[in-house]
Amino acid sequence: MHLQPDHHHPINQAFISFISQQALQADSVYILGDLFETWVGDDLSIPLYHTEINALKKLTDSGTKLYIGYGNRDFLMRQAFWQASGAEFIEDETLAQIQGVDCLLLHGDSLCTDDKDYQRMRDWFRKPWVQWLFLHLPKKTRLNIAQKLRQQSGKQAQHKQADIMDVSNQAIEDLCARHPQVVHIIHGHTHRPAHHCFMLNGMQKQRWVLGDWRPETQIIKIINQHISLIKLD
Ligand SMILES: [Mn+2]
């Protein structure tokens, strides 16, 4: 969703409205990464997103379970965030049975293997010592680095071919080989909301892609063994 550090932003408003209304009716809510535009450490980012985090806390206090995974922009949430939001961390490639539907949940960036530059950068940022080092830099330096990275990724996205930034078939096949039983794969990241059905080794698979709520606010709803990609009012 790439929430902005401004709670008046239309995306933030839509998110807060969803979390404080429809989400209350759910047993559980799963957010599969890149909820925030950037996360440069709990100390800096919690105050920037306090309105949204308070909404999450109200939701979890009401009894709805909330699970959040890391994206490629927000992977530095630590203890203070989990405490403030009441959310529980889920790993990339988590298997979950939701309302009788077995799902494989992931952010989706790991599937964009045709984009070699991106994958190299991803490997680098996933190293624990790099993250540790970053989180121990002065506040101003962290904000500057985050801003530079955002500008860079925006520039690169303009020059890259669109299909390079989509998931690769090989990566989907490898993912299915790691989780042979799974039928429903749910991810985001590519900003191409869709429902893909395909056959792999004689088995029917379904890949559900979440969008970024620009312009349509879509969610995946799972109830009574039925899964669907729906548009919110
Ligand atoms: Mn992403």
Side-chain angles (χ1 to χ4, degrees):
M1 234 160 284
H2 296 238
L3 293 178
Q4 300 297 307
D6 162 20
H7 69 269
H8 296 298
H9 190 281
I11 295 295
N12 297 47
Q13 290 292 307
F15 177 73
I16 291 165
S17 146
F18 169 72
I19 286 297
S20 45
Q21 293 173 47
Q22 291 101 322
L24 286 171
Q25 299 158 23
D27 290 335
S28 50
V29 172
Y30 291 79
I31 299 174
L32 305 183
D34 282 356
L35 173 61
F36 303 103
E37 175 73 10
T38 51
W39 196 269
V40 290
D42 289 354
D43 57 339
L44 276 167
S45 297
I46 288 177
L48 285 178
Y49 294 105
H50 72 273
T51 310
E52 294 75 14
I53 293 169
N54 286 344
L56 293 175
K57 187 72 169 81
K58 272 197 190 138
L59 176 70
T60 53
D61 282 347
S62 81
T64 296
K65 284 243 179 203
L66 174 65
Y67 301 94
I68 302 180
Y70 286 152
N72 51 301
R73 287 166 175 270
D74 56 357
F75 49 87
L76 292 172
M77 292 93 97
R78 296 293 185 259
Q79 202 50 44
F81 169 74
W82 305 112
Q83 210 147 29
S85 62
E88 217 174 285
F89 172 66
I90 48 164
E91 296 279 355
D92 219 30
E93 291 188 28
T94 285
L95 284 164
Q97 198 187 61
I98 306 169
Q99 290 273 312
V101 180
D102 288 313
C103 305
L104 176 61
L105 312 172
L106 67 162
H107 179 60
D109 60 326
S110 61
L111 304 173
C112 302
T113 49
D114 290 338
D115 192 344
K116 305 284 181 221
D117 293 340
Y118 173 76
Q119 291 300 331
R120 251 195 305 276
M121 197 169 79
R122 182 177 191 270
D123 288 345
W124 187 250
F125 288 135
R126 287 171 72 90
K127 293 180 198 299
W129 68 265
V130 173
Q131 297 187 0
W132 186 91
L133 217 64
F134 179 83
L135 290 173
H136 285 79
L137 291 170
K139 290 181 179 179
K140 229 181 161 167
T141 316
R142 277 183 277 155
L143 287 170
N144 285 338
I145 293 175
Q147 199 188 355
K148 285 223 173 80
L149 286 171
R150 247 192 350 265
Q151 285 167 352
Q152 217 174 39
S153 96
K155 256 191 244 162
Q156 281 173 351
Q158 283 169 11
H159 295 298
K160 277 179 193 168
Q161 278 177 293
D163 58 341
I164 283 184
M165 291 184 296
D166 202 354
V167 304
S168 81
N169 288 334
Q170 187 59 52
I172 298 285
E173 283 179 29
D174 294 345
L175 180 73
C176 290
R178 286 198 293 279
H179 309 277
Q181 306 308 329
V182 86
V183 174
H184 298 279
I185 299 164
I186 305 179
H187 70 82
H189 180 69
T190 59
H191 305 215
R192 292 170 167 95
H195 175 211
H196 304 275
C197 292
F198 59 102
M199 294 294 289
L200 191 68
N201 303 323
M203 203 177 154
Q204 207 233 10
K205 304 275 182 187
Q206 299 187 35
R207 183 165 66 88
W208 302 82
V209 188
L210 290 154
D212 58 359
W213 289 24
R214 294 164 177 82
E216 284 194 344
T217 51
Q218 289 171 323
I219 60 160
I220 287 171
K221 184 173 179 178
I222 310 177
I223 187 163
N224 295 334
Q225 305 181 14
H226 180 76
I227 173 169
S228 53
L229 182 63
I230 61 161
K231 202 182 138 184
L232 292 173
D233 291 336

